[in-house]
Structures are given as structure tokens and as C-alpha cells.
């Protein structure tokens, strides 16, 4: 049976050990998720670093942008940063 939604499921057994595969399934079983690319992950880490500098340490957004790597455009960083701010303002996270 060829079910596209499950086509990569068998590959997970080669990428994850049994314990981590079980954890993945217990957290995300039944959900549809999108795995980010490495570039998308790096962008979000950079935006989180900006968030840390601006919103936690009290630095300026402009200084945070200047200190950022040149890997991403200013517009991309601003957009990712805004997504983080919006998510943190919209959702409640358990601490």
C-alpha cells in the first residue's frame, strides 16, 4: 500500500534509535508536522538571539541586527523576530 503521508515513516527507524523514535511518536503521533530546513532553523536561532538581546537583555534592535551574521537579509530577520514576538504574546507557555 502506497500512502504518501507514511512514505518516510520507515526511514525514521534508520535515523532515530528506538527510545527517541518512541519519544517522537508519543509527542507528535497523529499530528501533521513540517520539518524545517537547516536554513530555516538557523534563521530562527538568529531571530531568537535577537529576541534575547532586545527583549531580555534590553539592547536595541538595531544593535542586534548589526551583530547578526550576514547569512540572512534584514527583512528575513525582522520577519522571523516578529513571528517570535507574536507567538510569545499569543500563546501561554508552561515554565
Amino acid at each position: 500500500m502506497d500512502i504518501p503521508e507514511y512514505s518516510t515513516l520507515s526511514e525514521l527507524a534508520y535515523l532515530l534509535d528506538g527510545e527517541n523514535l518512541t519519544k517522537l511518536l508519543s509527542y507528535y503521533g497523529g499530528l501533521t508536522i513540517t520539518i524545517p530546513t537547516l536554513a530555516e532553523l538557523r534563521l530562527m536561532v538568529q531571530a531568537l538571539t535577537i529576541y534575547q538581546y532586545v527583549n531580555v537583555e534590553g539592547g536595541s534592535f538595531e544593535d542586534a541586527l548589526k551583530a547578526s551574521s550576514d547569512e540572512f537579509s534584514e527583512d528575513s530577520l525582522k520577519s522571523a523576530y516578529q513571528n517570535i514576538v507574536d507567538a510569545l504574546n499569543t500563546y501561554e507557555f508552561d515554565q
Side-chain angles (χ1 to χ4, degrees):
M1 182 175 357
D2 186 25
I3 303 172
E5 293 84 4
Y6 296 103
S7 64
T8 58
L9 186 58
S10 62
E11 296 175 19
L12 288 175
Y14 295 104
L15 296 173
L16 302 170
D17 62 27
E19 181 181 344
N20 285 312
L21 179 59
T22 301
K23 284 181 185 178
L24 178 75
L25 295 174
S26 68
Y27 289 134
Y28 300 108
L31 299 177
T32 301
I33 62 171
T34 301
I35 305 295
T37 64
L38 287 174
E40 291 168 333
L41 180 61
R42 285 194 305 270
L43 174 61
M44 291 313 295
V45 168
Q46 191 73 45
L48 283 166
T49 301
I50 292 170
Y51 181 89
Q52 170 77 24
Y53 183 76
V54 173
N55 297 76
V56 176
E57 298 173 13
S60 76
F61 186 79
E62 292 75 24
D63 287 344
L65 279 177
K66 288 177 190 173
S68 299
S69 74
D70 293 334
E71 181 178 6
F72 304 104
S73 71
E74 189 174 308
D75 287 341
S76 294
L77 288 169
K78 285 180 180 179
S79 177
Y81 170 82
Q82 191 59 54
N83 287 339
I84 291 167
V85 170
D86 292 345
L88 291 174
N89 287 334
T90 302
Y91 301 102
E92 289 188 29
F93 297 95
D94 293 332
Q95 296 182 4

